[in-house]
Amino acid sequence: MDVPGPVTRRAAAAATMLLRTARVPRECWFVPTALLCAYGFFASLRPSEPFLTPYLLGPDKNLTKREESKPDRLLVLKVLWNDFLVCYSSRPLLCWSVWWALSTCGYFQVVNYAQGLWEQVMPSRHAAIYNGGVEAVSTLLGAVAVFAVGYIKLSWSTWGELTLSLFSLLIAAAVYIMDTVGNIWVCYASYVVFRIIYMLLITIATFQIAANLSMERYALVFGVNTFIALALQTLLTLIVVDASGLGLEITPQFFIYAGYFALIAVVFLTNGAVNILKKYRKPQDPESSSQVTTS
């Protein structure tokens, strides 16, 4: 029995489309490959390169072919070391740099493992999660807090360490609440508070460090601070997270991170209180101290 004409035509059209679809994977690689090859060819061709050196050596460019001698490596290291000692001999800069490195280490740990904690509190396969939205909101609110820093009128040289201590304690409380309260919305709110406080303080710390430096030493100090923060983070990861160390689960990890920020708060509270007492202690009157009581 013959198949009706319209059915035959539809079958033929379907077969044609199938063949065309089957040929797409074979043909689709050619165009991007050709473009990449053309890009590599023209990028390596560099037709202007033979004319670049004469152009740069023109009379109006103030350049010469004379090759400068390479600097002595030992001299460079000596200058670098002297700059390091000069920078960190400043007590305010040292104070803010220590907090900068310690808090950045803890911040990286919390941010890196917050998703794991949220997954334990509210598994993503059981409910809708808003982790990305929380990250966006915390970044936005942190930017608002950073903008508001300019309107804060405070003697940072006097009250800076106590301020760092207070807000470090608030960070520790936020991390502790995030760790112990088994509600995902409380975890989200604590995380937002944590990031806002950190972004606020790190902006103040960066400004205070820069205020005690010449521009030529910015890279040295911030590079050293970042290196120390990453070294501490690596050490903390090896001790707390890695299987060769304690290998703790996510909940005990965050308990340790909360204690870490609490320890920072205690250190800066002690140091700040001592410095304020020294600053506001009235010097004794030498005449009164030399009086002798006679009977």
Side-chain angles (χ1 to χ4, degrees), residues 208-232:
Q208 293 299 318
I209 292 172
N212 290 277
L213 283 176
S214 61
M215 189 175 296
E216 295 81 8
R217 292 168 175 165
Y218 284 176
L220 172 65
V221 172
F222 287 110
V224 170
N225 293 350
T226 303
F227 174 79
I228 294 174
L230 295 177
L232 289 174

Side-chain angles (χ1 to χ4, degrees), residues 177-282:
I177 292 173
M178 191 178 1
D179 180 48
T180 55
V181 178
N183 184 288
I184 190 62
W185 293 106
V186 176
C187 287
Y188 284 160
S190 300
Y191 182 78
V192 170
V193 171
F194 162 77
R195 288 201 67 196
I196 290 174
I197 295 175
Y198 172 80
M199 293 174 70
L200 176 69
L201 290 184
I202 202 67
T203 303
I204 297 172
T206 302
F207 174 78
Q208 293 299 318
I209 292 172
N212 290 277
L213 283 176
S214 61
M215 189 175 296
E216 295 81 8
R217 292 168 175 165
Y218 284 176
L220 172 65
V221 172
F222 287 110
V224 170
N225 293 350
T226 303
F227 174 79
I228 294 174
L230 295 177
L232 289 174
Q233 185 197 3
T234 302
L235 181 62
L236 191 59
T237 302
L238 288 174
I239 295 174
V240 177
V241 181
D242 196 77
S244 60
L246 298 177
L248 298 177
E249 298 293 332
I250 193 68
T251 302
Q253 286 181 33
F254 271 75
F255 182 80
I256 290 179
Y257 302 151
Y260 174 84
F261 279 105
L263 181 61
I264 294 175
V266 170
V267 170
F268 279 86
L269 174 63
T270 304
N271 197 42
V274 170
N275 290 326
I276 288 179
L277 289 176
K278 288 181 178 179
K279 186 172 184 178
Y280 285 96
R281 181 184 297 171
K282 295 181 179 180

Side-chain angles (χ1 to χ4, degrees), residues 33-46:
T33 303
L35 289 175
L36 288 174
C37 291
Y39 170 78
F41 171 76
F42 286 108
S44 302
L45 184 61
R46 300 175 182 174

Side-chain angles (χ1 to χ4, degrees), residues 1-281:
M1 182 176 179
D2 294 336
V3 180
V7 176
T8 304
R9 286 194 296 272
R10 286 197 296 270
T16 302
M17 290 297 297
L18 182 62
L19 290 174
R20 289 178 179 176
T21 306
R23 286 198 298 268
V24 168
R26 184 180 302 175
E27 296 173 355
C28 67
W29 64 269
F30 177 76
V31 174
T33 303
L35 289 175
L36 288 174
C37 291
Y39 170 78
F41 171 76
F42 286 108
S44 302
L45 184 61
R46 300 175 182 174
S48 63
E49 190 164 302
F51 308 96
L52 186 60
T53 299
Y55 172 76
L56 293 177
L57 294 177
D60 58 334
K61 298 298 184 296
N62 197 26
L63 295 174
T64 63
K65 282 187 176 182
R66 183 171 58 88
E67 184 178 356
E68 297 291 340
S69 59
K70 295 182 179 180
D72 186 2
R73 294 182 180 179
L74 293 178
L75 179 60
V76 172
L77 291 176
K78 183 178 179 180
V79 172
L80 194 65
W81 177 248
N82 289 336
D83 285 346
F84 175 85
L85 294 179
V86 169
C87 291
Y88 288 96
S89 62
S90 170
R91 190 192 166 282
L93 185 144
L94 179 62
C95 170
W96 288 99
S97 294
V98 168
W99 185 90
W100 200 98
L102 293 176
S103 62
T104 300
C105 164
Y107 173 80
F108 285 159
Q109 286 297 100
V110 172
V111 170
N112 289 344
Y113 294 98
Q115 302 280 344
L117 179 64
W118 296 343
E119 181 67 22
Q120 180 171 311
V121 174
M122 179 64 73
S124 57
R125 63 181 180 273
H126 294 158
I129 57 174
Y130 302 94
N131 297 0
V134 172
E135 294 283 358
V137 170
S138 62
T139 302
L140 177 62
L141 294 180
V144 173
V146 168
F147 178 77
V149 168
Y151 297 95
I152 298 177
K153 304 300 181 182
L154 185 67
S155 176
W156 296 108
S157 60
T158 302
W159 302 103
E161 288 174 288
L162 291 183
T163 303
L164 292 177
S165 172
L166 174 62
F167 281 103
S168 297
L169 188 60
L170 291 178
I171 289 177
V175 176
Y176 179 77
I177 292 173
M178 191 178 1
D179 180 48
T180 55
V181 178
N183 184 288
I184 190 62
W185 293 106
V186 176
C187 287
Y188 284 160
S190 300
Y191 182 78
V192 170
V193 171
F194 162 77
R195 288 201 67 196
I196 290 174
I197 295 175
Y198 172 80
M199 293 174 70
L200 176 69
L201 290 184
I202 202 67
T203 303
I204 297 172
T206 302
F207 174 78
Q208 293 299 318
I209 292 172
N212 290 277
L213 283 176
S214 61
M215 189 175 296
E216 295 81 8
R217 292 168 175 165
Y218 284 176
L220 172 65
V221 172
F222 287 110
V224 170
N225 293 350
T226 303
F227 174 79
I228 294 174
L230 295 177
L232 289 174
Q233 185 197 3
T234 302
L235 181 62
L236 191 59
T237 302
L238 288 174
I239 295 174
V240 177
V241 181
D242 196 77
S244 60
L246 298 177
L248 298 177
E249 298 293 332
I250 193 68
T251 302
Q253 286 181 33
F254 271 75
F255 182 80
I256 290 179
Y257 302 151
Y260 174 84
F261 279 105
L263 181 61
I264 294 175
V266 170
V267 170
F268 279 86
L269 174 63
T270 304
N271 197 42
V274 170
N275 290 326
I276 288 179
L277 289 176
K278 288 181 178 179
K279 186 172 184 178
Y280 285 96
R281 181 184 297 171

